[in-house]
Amino acid sequence: MDKVFDININENIDVVIDSRFKIKGFIEFIRLSFNKLEIRDNEYFIYFDKENIKKHKLLLQTLINMHKKIHKDETISKRIALNYRKNVKIIIKKHSLSFSDLIRIDIKKISSKEFSIEFSREVKSVYNYVKGLFLFHILELYNDKLIISFNENSKEIVYEMSKKNSIMGYKVEFHMDESEFKFSHRNYSIEGSIKEYLAKIRNALDLFGVNSIYEFDVVKKEYKRLAKKYHPDLHANKPELIKKIYNKKFMKIKESYELLEEYYKSKNG
């Protein structure tokens, strides 16, 4: 079941947002920013207040950005701009998991060096979540299957992932031979792995001088410039120590670009 995010302009600017979106910070912003606000269960009614017009416009711009990101619709911003003085009604649509949302995930050892993860049906958000967990261990990619390097770290990830009952709002059911994925237990968590991964993404973005993965065109240009500057072939006649320094910088630039490229594809693929 797809996540819902709809905006309709009638007497009010009516917004319906699926609870599966990451909206905790957005809701906190609403609660803290508007005095003329009514809250009923999962409904937020924000009255237009000319004394607080900056916050009202910021709210509308946030809704526009969220809507455009999901629906790629450029017309909604013009319509909201023409109706910015209207009250805003936001309904958070609670999502309950049902059997129809179930995804079976089969994990099978192929050889001593690799294993497969197969999905019973194609759900992009679930597929990308799992792919992100194994990003540094992926050998091959298919629409409904991943081929993963079989090692201690990937076995740890399998163990922790298989404890989950849901992923990205979908029920999941894991099927595997647990004896094939035994590993040396240590303090490990998927959440910690994701935080480490996102920290690497942030460092890579900083390296190329951008704030967001959606500035990937800038990343590509900066990568070409830096790769050319530090390419080992351009420094072949320099002292050995200098060559090592430039080679190390070049490898960091290359690895950072490949990391961002994969992350960008997961967001827009």
Side-chain angles (χ1 to χ4, degrees):
M1 186 184 296
D2 292 334
K3 290 184 280 189
V4 177
F5 192 113
D6 291 324
I7 298 178
N8 292 294
I9 301 175
N10 301 298
E11 182 180 349
N12 307 305
I13 298 176
D14 296 317
V15 184
V16 178
I17 305 177
D18 197 302
S19 62
R20 288 174 290 174
F21 286 110
K22 294 180 180 179
I23 54 174
K24 183 179 178 181
F26 176 65
I27 297 302
E28 287 179 359
F29 163 74
I30 292 174
R31 287 177 176 272
L32 295 173
S33 300
F34 300 96
N35 293 321
K36 295 185 176 181
L37 169 69
E38 290 183 9
I39 302 174
R40 301 188 192 94
D41 295 325
N42 298 314
E43 292 187 11
Y44 297 81
F45 196 90
I46 302 108
Y47 291 92
F48 175 76
D49 181 4
K50 63 181 180 180
E51 301 298 325
N52 195 23
I53 193 167
K54 285 186 178 180
K55 291 286 178 65
H56 195 85
K57 286 185 175 181
L58 180 58
L59 169 68
L60 296 180
Q61 189 58 55
T62 301
L63 291 169
I64 289 169
N65 292 343
M66 292 169 71
H67 189 271
K68 284 167 66 176
K69 185 177 177 180
I70 297 161
H71 296 289
K72 313 297 182 186
D73 182 6
E74 299 290 337
T75 62
I76 195 68
S77 58
K78 295 179 181 178
R79 294 174 59 212
I80 288 179
L82 293 172
N83 293 274
Y84 77 93
R85 290 177 176 272
K86 289 192 172 185
N87 302 326
V88 179
K89 182 180 180 181
I90 297 175
I91 299 174
I92 308 301
K93 185 177 180 181
K94 290 291 184 180
H95 176 76
S96 58
L97 298 175
S98 65
F99 185 78
S100 62
D101 295 318
L102 179 67
I103 300 172
R104 175 181 169 128
I105 301 177
D106 289 291
I107 303 175
K108 300 175 183 177
K109 185 178 178 182
I110 300 171
S111 70
S112 61
K113 294 183 178 180
E114 59 187 20
F115 65 93
S116 66
I117 300 176
E118 297 186 44
F119 302 83
S120 62
R121 57 195 180 97
E122 293 182 30
V123 178
K124 185 178 177 182
S125 59
V126 175
Y127 178 87
N128 285 339
Y129 177 88
V130 175
K131 183 176 73 172
L133 294 179
F134 294 94
L135 189 60
F136 302 108
H137 307 283
I138 292 173
L139 300 176
E140 296 178 46
L141 291 168
Y142 303 92
N143 289 337
D144 60 350
K145 182 169 68 173
L146 303 171
I147 305 298
I148 309 296
S149 173
F150 190 77
N151 55 60
E152 281 297 304
N153 186 229
S154 63
K155 285 192 288 183
E156 285 180 305
I157 298 172
V158 167
Y159 176 79
E160 289 295 328
M161 181 179 70
S162 65
K163 295 178 182 178
K164 288 184 170 292
N165 296 313
S166 67
I167 295 176
M168 304 305 289
Y170 291 86
K171 279 187 176 180
V172 292
E173 189 177 87
F174 291 94
H175 293 262
M176 66 184 196
D177 183 347
E178 293 185 8
S179 65
E180 294 181 335
F181 292 89
K182 289 182 178 179
F183 66 96
S184 302
H185 288 267
R186 58 192 175 96
N187 292 328
Y188 175 85
S189 71
I190 283 180
E191 288 72 21
S193 178
I194 292 173
K195 286 180 181 178
E196 182 182 349
Y197 169 62
L198 292 177
K200 289 180 179 179
I201 294 292
R202 170 47 55 196
N203 291 337
L205 291 171
D206 290 342
L207 177 64
F208 294 110
V210 297
N211 295 313
S212 166
I213 192 62
Y214 297 105
E215 297 176 84
F216 194 67
D217 287 343
V218 178
V219 170
K220 286 193 284 187
K221 290 178 183 177
E222 189 64 8
Y223 168 66
K224 289 179 181 178
R225 185 185 74 81
L226 292 172
K228 184 177 180 181
K229 179 178 178 181
Y230 293 105
H231 198 286
D233 291 349
L234 298 178
H235 308 284
N237 297 323
K238 291 185 177 178
E240 198 63 31
L241 180 60
I242 300 298
K243 284 197 292 185
K244 286 183 178 179
I245 292 172
Y246 275 80
N247 186 61
K248 189 175 180 180
K249 286 185 177 181
F250 176 77
M251 290 306 298
K252 182 179 180 181
I253 291 163
K254 184 173 181 292
E255 290 169 2
S256 296
Y257 177 75
E258 289 173 352
L259 177 65
L260 292 181
E261 184 178 42
E262 179 63 34
Y263 185 61
Y264 180 76
K265 287 178 181 177
S266 74
K267 290 285 187 182
N268 297 275

